[in-house]
Short mmCIF file of all heavy atoms in Angstrom, two decimals:
data_model
loop_
_atom_site.label_atom_id
_atom_site.label_comp_id
_atom_site.label_asym_id
_atom_site.label_seq_id
_atom_site.Cartn_x
_atom_site.Cartn_y
_atom_site.Cartn_z
N ASP B 1 23.26 -20.07 16.17
CA ASP B 1 22.92 -21.33 15.52
C ASP B 1 21.77 -21.16 14.54
O ASP B 1 21.47 -22.10 13.78
CB ASP B 1 22.55 -22.39 16.55
CG ASP B 1 23.70 -22.74 17.48
OD1 ASP B 1 24.85 -22.77 17.03
OD2 ASP B 1 23.42 -22.99 18.67
N THR B 2 21.11 -20.03 14.56
CA THR B 2 19.99 -19.78 13.66
C THR B 2 20.44 -19.92 12.21
O THR B 2 21.38 -19.25 11.77
CB THR B 2 19.41 -18.39 13.90
OG1 THR B 2 18.85 -18.33 15.21
CG2 THR B 2 18.32 -18.07 12.89
N ALA B 3 19.78 -20.80 11.48
CA ALA B 3 20.17 -21.09 10.11
C ALA B 3 19.17 -22.06 9.50
O ALA B 3 18.34 -22.65 10.20
CB ALA B 3 21.57 -21.72 10.07
N VAL B 4 19.27 -22.22 8.19
CA VAL B 4 18.64 -23.34 7.53
C VAL B 4 19.62 -24.50 7.59
O VAL B 4 20.79 -24.35 7.24
CB VAL B 4 18.25 -23.02 6.08
CG1 VAL B 4 17.65 -24.24 5.41
CG2 VAL B 4 17.28 -21.85 6.04
N TYR B 5 19.14 -25.64 8.04
CA TYR B 5 19.98 -26.82 8.16
C TYR B 5 19.64 -27.81 7.06
O TYR B 5 18.47 -28.17 6.86
CB TYR B 5 19.81 -27.47 9.54
CG TYR B 5 20.53 -26.71 10.62
CD1 TYR B 5 20.01 -25.51 11.10
CD2 TYR B 5 21.74 -27.17 11.13
CE1 TYR B 5 20.69 -24.79 12.07
CE2 TYR B 5 22.41 -26.45 12.11
CZ TYR B 5 21.88 -25.26 12.57
OH TYR B 5 22.56 -24.55 13.53
N TYR B 6 20.66 -28.24 6.33
CA TYR B 6 20.51 -29.15 5.21
C TYR B 6 21.17 -30.48 5.49
O TYR B 6 22.26 -30.54 6.05
CB TYR B 6 21.14 -28.56 3.94
CG TYR B 6 20.52 -27.28 3.46
CD1 TYR B 6 20.97 -26.04 3.90
CD2 TYR B 6 19.48 -27.30 2.54
CE1 TYR B 6 20.41 -24.86 3.46
CE2 TYR B 6 18.91 -26.13 2.08
CZ TYR B 6 19.38 -24.91 2.55
OH TYR B 6 18.82 -23.74 2.09
N CYS B 7 20.52 -31.53 5.05
CA CYS B 7 21.07 -32.87 5.13
C CYS B 7 21.72 -33.23 3.80
O CYS B 7 21.22 -32.87 2.73
CB CYS B 7 19.95 -33.86 5.45
SG CYS B 7 20.47 -35.57 5.60
N ASN B 8 22.84 -33.91 3.87
CA ASN B 8 23.56 -34.38 2.69
C ASN B 8 23.95 -35.83 2.89
O ASN B 8 24.28 -36.25 4.00
CB ASN B 8 24.81 -33.52 2.46
CG ASN B 8 25.67 -34.05 1.32
OD1 ASN B 8 26.60 -34.83 1.55
ND2 ASN B 8 25.38 -33.61 0.11
N ALA B 9 23.90 -36.59 1.81
CA ALA B 9 24.33 -37.98 1.87
C ALA B 9 25.05 -38.33 0.59
O ALA B 9 24.71 -37.83 -0.49
CB ALA B 9 23.14 -38.91 2.07
N TYR B 10 26.05 -39.18 0.72
CA TYR B 10 26.68 -39.74 -0.47
C TYR B 10 26.95 -41.21 -0.26
O TYR B 10 27.08 -41.69 0.87
CB TYR B 10 27.95 -38.97 -0.87
CG TYR B 10 29.16 -39.15 0.02
CD1 TYR B 10 30.06 -40.18 -0.19
CD2 TYR B 10 29.41 -38.25 1.05
CE1 TYR B 10 31.18 -40.32 0.62
CE2 TYR B 10 30.52 -38.39 1.86
CZ TYR B 10 31.40 -39.42 1.64
OH TYR B 10 32.52 -39.57 2.44
N GLY B 11 27.01 -41.91 -1.38
CA GLY B 11 27.23 -43.34 -1.31
C GLY B 11 27.15 -43.95 -2.69
O GLY B 11 27.52 -43.32 -3.69
N ILE B 12 26.65 -45.18 -2.73
CA ILE B 12 26.54 -45.94 -3.97
C ILE B 12 25.07 -46.26 -4.19
O ILE B 12 24.39 -46.76 -3.29
CB ILE B 12 27.37 -47.24 -3.92
CG1 ILE B 12 28.83 -46.93 -3.58
CG2 ILE B 12 27.26 -47.99 -5.23
CD1 ILE B 12 29.52 -46.08 -4.60
N ASN B 13 24.57 -45.99 -5.39
CA ASN B 13 23.18 -46.28 -5.68
C ASN B 13 23.00 -47.70 -6.21
O ASN B 13 23.95 -48.47 -6.31
CB ASN B 13 22.59 -45.23 -6.63
CG ASN B 13 23.18 -45.28 -8.02
OD1 ASN B 13 23.81 -46.24 -8.44
ND2 ASN B 13 22.94 -44.21 -8.79
N SER B 14 21.75 -48.02 -6.54
CA SER B 14 21.42 -49.38 -6.95
C SER B 14 22.02 -49.77 -8.30
O SER B 14 22.02 -50.95 -8.65
CB SER B 14 19.90 -49.57 -6.99
OG SER B 14 19.31 -48.67 -7.91
N LEU B 15 22.52 -48.81 -9.04
CA LEU B 15 23.22 -49.07 -10.29
C LEU B 15 24.74 -49.12 -10.10
O LEU B 15 25.49 -49.07 -11.07
CB LEU B 15 22.86 -48.01 -11.33
CG LEU B 15 21.39 -47.94 -11.75
CD1 LEU B 15 21.17 -46.80 -12.72
CD2 LEU B 15 20.94 -49.26 -12.35
N SER B 16 25.15 -49.20 -8.85
CA SER B 16 26.57 -49.26 -8.48
C SER B 16 27.32 -48.00 -8.90
O SER B 16 28.51 -48.06 -9.23
CB SER B 16 27.23 -50.51 -9.06
OG SER B 16 26.63 -51.69 -8.56
N ARG B 17 26.63 -46.88 -8.87
CA ARG B 17 27.24 -45.59 -9.20
C ARG B 17 27.19 -44.67 -7.99
O ARG B 17 26.28 -44.75 -7.18
CB ARG B 17 26.51 -44.93 -10.37
CG ARG B 17 26.63 -45.70 -11.68
CD ARG B 17 25.94 -44.98 -12.81
NE ARG B 17 26.06 -45.69 -14.06
CZ ARG B 17 27.07 -45.57 -14.90
NH1 ARG B 17 28.08 -44.74 -14.62
NH2 ARG B 17 27.09 -46.26 -16.02
N PRO B 18 28.18 -43.81 -7.86
CA PRO B 18 28.18 -42.89 -6.72
C PRO B 18 27.06 -41.87 -6.83
O PRO B 18 26.67 -41.47 -7.93
CB PRO B 18 29.56 -42.23 -6.80
CG PRO B 18 29.94 -42.32 -8.24
CD PRO B 18 29.37 -43.63 -8.72
N PHE B 19 26.55 -41.45 -5.68
CA PHE B 19 25.56 -40.40 -5.64
C PHE B 19 25.89 -39.42 -4.53
O PHE B 19 26.59 -39.76 -3.57
CB PHE B 19 24.15 -40.96 -5.43
CG PHE B 19 23.89 -41.47 -4.03
CD1 PHE B 19 23.46 -40.61 -3.03
CD2 PHE B 19 24.09 -42.80 -3.72
CE1 PHE B 19 23.23 -41.07 -1.74
CE2 PHE B 19 23.87 -43.26 -2.43
CZ PHE B 19 23.45 -42.40 -1.44
N ARG B 20 25.40 -38.22 -4.67
CA ARG B 20 25.42 -37.21 -3.62
C ARG B 20 24.11 -36.45 -3.71
O ARG B 20 23.76 -35.93 -4.77
CB ARG B 20 26.61 -36.26 -3.76
CG ARG B 20 26.71 -35.24 -2.64
CD ARG B 20 27.89 -34.31 -2.83
NE ARG B 20 29.16 -35.02 -2.81
CZ ARG B 20 29.86 -35.28 -1.70
NH1 ARG B 20 29.41 -34.90 -0.52
NH2 ARG B 20 31.01 -35.94 -1.79
N SER B 21 23.37 -36.40 -2.61
CA SER B 21 22.05 -35.79 -2.60
C SER B 21 21.91 -34.82 -1.45
O SER B 21 22.56 -34.97 -0.41
CB SER B 21 20.96 -36.87 -2.51
OG SER B 21 20.97 -37.72 -3.64
N TRP B 22 21.04 -33.84 -1.65
CA TRP B 22 20.73 -32.82 -0.66
C TRP B 22 19.25 -32.83 -0.33
O TRP B 22 18.41 -33.08 -1.20
CB TRP B 22 21.08 -31.43 -1.18
CG TRP B 22 22.55 -31.16 -1.32
CD1 TRP B 22 23.31 -31.37 -2.42
CD2 TRP B 22 23.41 -30.63 -0.32
NE1 TRP B 22 24.61 -31.00 -2.18
CE2 TRP B 22 24.70 -30.54 -0.90
CE3 TRP B 22 23.22 -30.22 1.00
CZ2 TRP B 22 25.79 -30.05 -0.18
CZ3 TRP B 22 24.30 -29.74 1.70
CH2 TRP B 22 25.57 -29.66 1.11
N GLY B 23 18.94 -32.53 0.92
CA GLY B 23 17.58 -32.27 1.30
C GLY B 23 17.21 -30.83 1.01
O GLY B 23 18.03 -30.01 0.57
N GLN B 24 15.95 -30.49 1.27
CA GLN B 24 15.45 -29.15 1.01
C GLN B 24 15.75 -28.17 2.13
O GLN B 24 15.65 -26.96 1.93
CB GLN B 24 13.95 -29.19 0.75
CG GLN B 24 13.56 -29.89 -0.54
CD GLN B 24 14.08 -29.16 -1.76
OE1 GLN B 24 15.00 -29.65 -2.42
NE2 GLN B 24 13.54 -27.99 -2.04
N GLY B 25 16.11 -28.66 3.28
CA GLY B 25 16.46 -27.81 4.40
C GLY B 25 15.33 -27.66 5.40
O GLY B 25 14.15 -27.77 5.06
N THR B 26 15.69 -27.39 6.64
CA THR B 26 14.74 -27.11 7.69
C THR B 26 15.25 -25.94 8.51
O THR B 26 16.43 -25.85 8.83
CB THR B 26 14.50 -28.36 8.58
OG1 THR B 26 13.49 -28.09 9.55
CG2 THR B 26 15.78 -28.80 9.29
N GLN B 27 14.35 -25.01 8.82
CA GLN B 27 14.73 -23.78 9.50
C GLN B 27 14.85 -24.00 11.00
O GLN B 27 13.96 -24.57 11.63
CB GLN B 27 13.70 -22.68 9.22
CG GLN B 27 13.95 -21.38 9.97
CD GLN B 27 15.15 -20.63 9.44
OE1 GLN B 27 15.28 -20.45 8.23
NE2 GLN B 27 16.03 -20.19 10.34
N VAL B 28 15.95 -23.53 11.56
CA VAL B 28 16.15 -23.49 13.01
C VAL B 28 16.33 -22.04 13.41
O VAL B 28 17.21 -21.34 12.88
CB VAL B 28 17.37 -24.32 13.44
CG1 VAL B 28 17.69 -24.08 14.92
CG2 VAL B 28 17.13 -25.80 13.18
N THR B 29 15.51 -21.58 14.33
CA THR B 29 15.59 -20.21 14.83
C THR B 29 15.74 -20.25 16.34
O THR B 29 14.94 -20.87 17.04
CB THR B 29 14.34 -19.41 14.45
OG1 THR B 29 14.19 -19.40 13.02
CG2 THR B 29 14.46 -17.97 14.93
N VAL B 30 16.77 -19.59 16.84
CA VAL B 30 17.06 -19.56 18.27
C VAL B 30 16.93 -18.12 18.76
O VAL B 30 17.63 -17.23 18.28
CB VAL B 30 18.45 -20.10 18.58
CG1 VAL B 30 18.67 -20.13 20.10
CG2 VAL B 30 18.63 -21.49 17.99
N SER B 31 16.04 -17.91 19.70
CA SER B 31 15.82 -16.59 20.25
C SER B 31 16.66 -16.40 21.51
O SER B 31 16.94 -17.35 22.24
CB SER B 31 14.34 -16.39 20.57
OG SER B 31 13.89 -17.31 21.54
#
């Protein structure tokens, strides 16, 4: 499971247009 984990979201913005955005990621390390 060790990886960088990224969040993604898509939807409609305040201008009634579609969006898709990514986070910067967070590291998960499993020993």
Side-chain angles (χ1 to χ4, degrees):
D1 297 323
T2 295
V4 178
Y5 284 76
Y6 297 90
C7 181
N8 174 267
Y10 71 88
I12 305 297
N13 68 16
S14 60
L15 298 177
S16 299
R17 294 182 180 273
F19 73 87
R20 183 181 298 272
S21 297
W22 291 91
Q24 292 296 109
T26 184
Q27 176 71 48
V28 171
T29 302
V30 183
S31 62

